[in-house]
Amino acid sequence: MTLNRRELGRRLNTLTDASVAEVLAVRGDEPLTATDGPRRIGFTGPPGVGKSSLIGALARRRVEQGVDLAVLCIDPTSPVSGGSILGDRIRIDSDVYVRSVPSRQANDGLTDNLPDLLAALDGSGFDEVWVETVGVGQAAYGIRRCVDTVVVLVPPGSGDTVQAMKAGILEVGDVHVVTKGDRPGAEQMASELAAIVGGVVVTSTVDGRGLDDLLAAIDHQGRRPNGDRSRYDVERLITRRARELLRKADVADLTLRQAYHHIIRTLEGEIQ
Ligand SMILES: Nc1nc2c(ncn2[C@@H]2O[C@H](COP(=O)(O)OP(=O)(O)OP(=O)(O)O)[C@@H](O)[C@H]2O)c(=O)[nH]1
Ligand SMILES: [Mg+2]
């Protein structure tokens, strides 16, 4: 099934705010694994590292290569106001489908309904779908489970930063980038990083360096098998439903076993 852009916009609107029951109503009867869907690429890294700028610059080149591209940009939702910071949109003047979605309760840099939004994009005829995660400082493995290639962005800085990141966010990446290559310290950062992860690309959206190399490095990566992606889709939905039920349940006077059985029984009761 291929959705046109207007149908896609409507479906993404519905799915962005959808409860678990609504997600099931929209995509419950579609097969989980979309084979031959668009290639998915995730961009992640600490706040302000340059994700949106880099995606904007790369996307322009990608479109020139004739690639039909969609970008899903996850915006942080303020825990205080619940509102999303919409100023942080990617600026792309060329022909790219860009969509911003709030992160909501998710605290891993993703958004609760990400698998569902990506599934909708799968069926819309794009060659590639890129995802910008919320800037998380620590490792966020979720993104690895829903895309083929993860690009981790690191800012120029001191070696201490590399050590701090060593066990964390770096292992999430398939491709590693030092951003803001026009700033002092970028090359040094890249060589320190290269000692840990292998190849590193230094980019700058100011002078354009490294952009073609980065696209080539991304293209060098393969596709990830779809099995874990499907499991992630189901896991995310079940986790959300369990959370919904737990919010309503009064478990204070129960044992752990009783509370667990209560939730499992409720879930079983929902099977139609
Ligand atoms: N000098 C220089 N500045 C850059 C470069 N790329 C981005 N910046 C600046 O870095 C700041 C943050 O850039 P963004 O692209 O918004 O970073 P981000 O990672 O998307 O930020 P969040 O989404 O808020 O986490 C902006 O002021 C950019 O102008 C670069 O290559 N060189
Ligand atoms: Mg951004």
Side-chain angles (χ1 to χ4, degrees):
M1 177 196 50
T2 300
L3 299 171
N4 67 37
R5 295 293 149 93
R6 179 181 301 207
E7 289 166 340
L8 172 63
R10 241 184 272 132
R11 180 172 278 219
L12 291 176
N13 275 343
T14 307
L15 287 169
T16 297
D17 290 323
S19 66
V20 171
E22 288 164 336
V23 170
L24 284 172
V26 174
R27 65 175 289 232
D29 297 318
E30 291 170 6
L32 256 182
T33 312
T35 43
D36 299 330
R39 197 162 153 225
R40 297 179 182 174
I41 300 163
F43 294 81
T44 190
V49 68
K51 297 178 290 297
S52 302
S53 310
L54 188 60
I55 288 173
L58 293 176
R60 242 166 264 129
R61 283 164 196 246
R62 207 51 149 183
V63 167
E64 281 164 21
Q65 294 173 345
V67 172
D68 201 1
L69 177 64
V71 179
L72 198 62
C73 170
I74 305 169
D75 278 321
T77 304
S78 158
V80 182
S81 69
S84 177
I85 306 161
L86 287 175
D88 182 46
R89 285 176 191 256
I90 298 167
R91 270 162 226 110
I92 305 172
D93 39 27
S94 52
D95 194 13
V96 179
Y97 186 86
V98 184
R99 189 76 197 202
S100 275
V101 293
S103 59
R104 303 202 189 283
Q105 279 101 10
N107 54 10
D108 57 357
L110 307 178
T111 182
D112 275 338
N113 292 355
L114 181 61
D116 316 305
L117 300 169
L118 288 173
L121 289 164
D122 272 352
S124 303
F126 296 106
D127 300 313
E128 287 184 6
V129 174
W130 295 2
V131 179
E132 177 185 348
T133 76
V134 173
V136 282
Q138 74 284 43
Y141 294 96
I143 187 67
R144 260 192 98 76
R145 301 185 61 190
C146 19
V147 300
D148 294 299
T149 303
V150 179
V151 182
V152 168
L153 281 59
V154 176
S158 74
D160 296 348
T161 323
V162 175
Q163 287 309 317
M165 285 188 298
K166 197 168 169 179
I169 194 167
L170 295 181
E171 5 181 280
V172 178
D174 300 295
V175 176
H176 296 83
V177 174
V178 173
T179 55
K180 310 186 187 184
D182 52 284
R183 296 236 180 114
E187 289 297 337
Q188 170 159 357
M189 184 65 171
S191 55
E192 287 176 30
L193 205 55
I196 300 169
V197 298
V200 174
V201 185
V202 177
T203 61
S204 167
T205 55
V206 173
D207 62 22
R209 83 181 72 180
L211 298 178
D212 290 327
D213 291 343
L214 176 54
L215 284 177
I218 289 170
D219 284 339
H220 196 65
Q221 299 286 315
R223 308 270 299 224
R224 242 189 274 289
N226 265 348
D228 192 50
R229 184 180 293 180
S230 300
R231 273 190 287 276
Y232 181 81
D233 280 31
V234 183
E235 182 185 310
R236 195 94 181 184
L237 212 57
I238 292 177
T239 309
R240 280 187 60 204
R241 184 64 191 133
R243 225 194 287 140
E244 285 174 12
L245 292 172
L246 273 166
R247 264 199 298 272
K248 285 186 278 177
D250 185 5
V251 295
D253 296 326
L254 303 181
T255 64
L256 178 60
R257 188 185 309 280
Q258 285 168 333
Y260 176 77
H261 285 175
H262 168 70
I263 299 298
I264 295 294
R265 260 198 307 274
T266 314
L267 285 171
E268 277 171 356
E270 291 181 353
I271 296 171
Q272 296 135 6

